[in-house]
Amino acid sequence: MKVAGRAEARPILGAEIVGKDAGELIHCFSAALALRATVHDLLRAPWYHPTLAQRFVTYPLEEIAEKLSR
């Protein structure tokens, strides 16, 4: 998974997911792009557990959010 953005322009600019179940996971980012959501916006959303999206989307977003906080 790859999430694109710029630190100074907080909205997520794009995302790329390759592999099994990628079609199921990419919808998480299509809504985010349409709403010009930030990483922090996505982390505030409810992520049901256990799901693929909760594992493969929130963990990378948490890492990005930590880097943006520095």
Side-chain angles (χ1 to χ4, degrees):
M1 178 170 61
K2 181 179 182 179
V3 179
R6 293 190 318 246
E8 64 277 357
R10 297 291 177 157
I12 294 170
L13 300 176
E16 180 179 318
I17 300 175
V18 177
K20 184 179 182 298
D21 300 317
E24 185 176 328
L25 297 172
I26 199 65
H27 78 276
C28 302
F29 290 100
S30 64
L33 290 168
L35 297 172
R36 300 192 45 78
T38 67
V39 167
H40 294 97
D41 292 333
L42 286 180
L43 288 173
R44 281 194 299 272
W47 294 94
Y48 304 103
H49 176 78
T51 63
L52 287 173
Q54 182 264 335
R55 180 172 181 183
F56 291 108
V57 175
T58 59
Y59 292 158
L61 290 177
E62 288 170 351
E63 185 178 324
I64 293 168
E66 183 179 318
K67 289 178 182 179
L68 288 172
S69 308
R70 294 183 194 163

